[in-house]
């Protein structure tokens, strides 16, 4: 299957700082990427849809100024958590849509963010 | 009513038996259906995709789709302890809309 790489896999940051998570599609071009957040023992919650070259579409209740998403190329999207707080600690997962595989969605490995 | 519903479990199945996981969805216009497996602390992994009514088999896994009943299931034959995970049902509602809607997942435990 297609490969989506996410980096870093784990990050610890101090409260008030910002942290950037990268999502790359390694062997296909992804015009659309998605960012999810998952709290322990809960399902994935879609945060935003990222389209290459345009502004991200955020889900209701997700602060666009806090979770900055950039999709500058067909293989890279980034999520920046700004002014992080302990309640932002979560598992962040990106995914990419592979059009040549019937729009199958492939997930990155996820990034554990801990804000201390 | 939730868009995608699954029994949260836990579902316990003896090793070697068939595990049956079920999912219903509310949007009758849904076109694409997926089953993902998620181990604790890991990202979801695609198991099966299905787009048309009927059965689709891949190794020990069989996905079944019934659009009239708005129902999709996953059967795991010859269950192994390594199949113990949370299984997520996901649906894409419309062509051109690639947004996945997930169920809450069913936690499956295979008992040796």
């Amino acid at each position: 299957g297609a490969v989506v790489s996410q980096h870093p896999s784990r990050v610890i940051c101090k409260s008030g700082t910002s942290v950037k998570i990268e999502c790359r599609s390694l062997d296909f071009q992804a015009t659309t990427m998605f960012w999810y957040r998952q709290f322990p023992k809960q399902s994935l919650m879609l945060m935003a849809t990222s389209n290459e070259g345009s502004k991200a579409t955020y889900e209701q209740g997700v602060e666009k100024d806090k979770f900055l998403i950039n999709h500058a190329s067909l293989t890279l999207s980034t999520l920046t958590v700004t002014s992080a707080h302990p309640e932002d600690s979560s598992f962040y997962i990106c995914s990419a849509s592979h059009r040549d595989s019937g729009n199958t969605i492939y997930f990155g490995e996820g990034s554990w963010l801990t804000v201390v | 009513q939730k868009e995608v519903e699954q029994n949260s479990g836990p579902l316990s199945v003896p090793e070697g038996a068939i595990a049956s996981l079920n999912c219903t969805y509310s949007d009758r216009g849904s076109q694409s259906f997926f089953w993902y497996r998620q181990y604790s602390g890991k990202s979801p992994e695609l198991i099966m995709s299905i787009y048309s009514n009927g059965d689709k088999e891949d190794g020990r896994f069989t996905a079944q789709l019934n659009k009239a009943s708005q129902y999709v299931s996953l059967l795991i034959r010859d269950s192994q302890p390594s199949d113990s995970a949370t299984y997520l049902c996901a649906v894409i509602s419309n062509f051109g809309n690639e947004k996945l809607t997930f169920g809450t997942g069913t936690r499956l435990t295979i008992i040796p």
Side-chain angles (χ1 to χ4, degrees), chain A residues 37-39 41-44 91 93 107-110 112, chain B residues 35-47 82-88 102-108:
Chain A
R37 180 169 52 183
Q38 187 177 35
F39 293 107
K41 298 186 178 181
Q42 295 186 23
S43 191
L44 284 77
F91 190 41
I93 312 170
F107 283 86
E109 306 96 326
W112 283 100
Chain B
W35 281 100
Y36 288 87
R37 176 176 63 196
Q38 187 176 26
Y39 293 113
S40 180
K42 301 294 185 181
S43 184
E45 171 192 10
L46 180 66
I47 298 296
S82 59
D83 295 327
S84 298
T86 296
Y87 288 80
L88 300 167
F102 283 92
T104 53
T106 298
R107 184 176 172 189
L108 174 65

Side-chain angles (χ1 to χ4, degrees), chain A residues 3-42:
Chain A
V3 178
V4 177
S5 177
Q6 204 171 325
H7 176 81
S9 57
R10 289 183 179 273
V11 58
I12 300 173
C13 72
K14 292 184 177 181
S15 186
T17 63
S18 296
V19 61
K20 179 185 287 187
I21 301 169
E22 292 187 348
C23 179
R24 294 180 185 272
S25 56
L26 297 185
D27 52 358
F28 66 100
Q29 293 184 332
T31 54
T32 306
M33 289 185 172
F34 304 87
W35 287 95
Y36 295 84
R37 180 169 52 183
Q38 187 177 35
F39 293 107
K41 298 186 178 181
Q42 295 186 23

Side-chain angles (χ1 to χ4, degrees), chain B residues 4-54:
Chain B
V4 180
E5 292 204 49
Q6 295 180 254
N7 188 324
S8 61
L11 175 65
S12 297
V13 173
E15 182 175 358
I18 296 175
S20 178
L21 304 163
N22 304 315
C23 173
T24 58
Y25 58 95
S26 61
D27 186 350
R28 187 170 289 279
S30 298
Q31 300 291 338
S32 305
F33 308 86
F34 305 89
W35 281 100
Y36 288 87
R37 176 176 63 196
Q38 187 176 26
Y39 293 113
S40 180
K42 301 294 185 181
S43 184
E45 171 192 10
L46 180 66
I47 298 296
M48 293 282 287
S49 60
I50 188 166
Y51 305 98
S52 55
N53 280 327

